[in-house]
Amino acid sequence: SAVISQKPSRDICQRGTSLTIQCQVDSQVTMMFWYRQQPGQSLTLIATANQGSEATYESGFVIDKFPISRPNLTFSTLTVSNMSPEDSSIYLCSVLKQHEQYFGPGTRLTVT
Amino acid sequence: TQLLEQSPQFLSIQEGENLTVYCNSSSVFSSLQWYRQEPGEGPVLLVTVVTGGEVKKLKRLTFQFGDARKDSSLHITAAQPGDTGLYLCAGSNYQLIWGAGTKLIIKP
């Protein structure tokens, strides 16, 4: 299994600002993922972050808006840039380990 | 485009009743995973089914993978308030395809 922590757990931000979310895993993993989720709804993949290469973004998500860093095999960050109220959501970090996917507790972001 | 249809989207039943959640697709998956998520937490993996026709049991939860590996079901027997949560299925090929989720409420 994998134990994942995220910081911050929640934040309220003003529109136009940026927030960086941190994801820390208790073991080395190759594949890390960032998801977005509206409360009570399913998950939408933002990007896949592999160490040593640029993140791969899904349709509808761009690097300028959601820059990702992956400096090593246990850590990643997702920045939500130039935020608008539409960015209010839960952001989840996830890792693939031994063919199974594990999730962090999420970061609940509210943009006012 | 691969789709995974999950139903029902919302279910509210009394404690002690049985229920079944379905995930259906026209695509074949190499495996399918079921997750449960509680408010304020990330999804937690319940089970992975890999083989067509496979049945796995986790206490009062029974998971089945269709013979053709296109569909799956989650059956809960004698539901309890602690089963309340959001249940998500996800089919796996080269990427995970997520169902819409089933919000389950078990009333005492």
Side-chain angles (χ1 to χ4, degrees):
Chain A
S1 67
V3 178
I4 304 169
S5 60
Q6 282 184 236
K7 289 184 189 179
S9 58
R10 58 176 61 225
D11 207 342
I12 301 173
C13 302
Q14 290 192 338
R15 70 171 68 210
T17 63
S18 298
L19 175 72
T20 295
I21 302 168
Q22 298 179 8
C23 176
Q24 180 75 52
V25 190
D26 68 339
S27 56
Q28 293 185 341
V29 292
T30 301
M31 297 187 75
M32 295 181 76
F33 308 89
W34 286 97
Y35 285 89
R36 188 166 71 181
Q37 181 185 33
Q38 296 298 328
Q41 297 186 21
S42 190
L43 284 72
T44 300
L45 180 63
I46 297 172
T48 301
N50 293 332
Q51 196 266 338
S53 62
E54 282 197 11
T56 303
Y57 289 83
E58 297 299 305
S59 176
F61 298 96
V62 295
I63 188 172
D64 290 345
K65 175 68 176 177
F66 297 100
I68 289 171
S69 77
R70 182 80 200 273
N72 57 53
L73 291 173
T74 63
F75 187 79
S76 178
T77 66
L78 169 75
T79 299
V80 186
S81 304
N82 188 24
M83 288 183 284
S84 66
E86 292 71 36
D87 294 320
S88 296
S89 190
I90 299 167
Y91 292 84
L92 291 154
C93 170
S94 175
V95 304
L96 185 67
K97 188 169 184 180
Q98 296 177 338
H99 306 291
E100 295 188 340
Q101 198 152 353
Y102 300 90
F103 288 84
T107 296
R108 183 181 285 260
L109 171 62
T110 303
V111 184
T112 60
Chain B
T1 303
Q2 297 183 80
L3 293 173
L4 191 53
E5 295 183 355
Q6 186 171 347
S7 63
Q9 290 195 6
F10 179 79
L11 188 58
S12 178
I13 61 173
Q14 292 293 138
E15 180 178 2
E17 294 184 10
N18 302 331
L19 67 110
T20 302
V21 179
Y22 299 93
C23 275
N24 296 293
S25 177
S26 58
S27 302
V28 177
F29 294 108
S30 59
S31 67
L32 192 139
Q33 301 175 358
W34 285 93
Y35 294 81
R36 178 167 165 261
Q37 184 179 22
E38 297 189 43
E41 300 187 9
V44 174
L45 180 65
L46 295 174
V47 77
T48 301
V49 286
V50 179
T51 306
E54 182 177 6
V55 176
K56 283 192 173 179
K57 291 193 174 184
L58 190 64
K59 297 183 180 178
R60 293 173 294 98
L61 278 60
T62 301
F63 305 86
Q64 186 162 6
F65 203 13
D67 291 341
R69 290 185 288 129
K70 294 181 180 181
D71 56 88
S72 181
S73 63
L74 157 61
H75 182 79
I76 300 179
T77 304
Q80 299 179 2
D83 296 326
T84 292
L86 178 68
Y87 289 80
L88 295 157
C89 62
S92 177
N93 281 323
Y94 59 91
Q95 62 180 7
L96 275 184
I97 306 299
W98 292 87
T102 296
K103 190 170 183 179
L104 176 63
I105 296 175
I106 309 300
K107 295 176 286 188

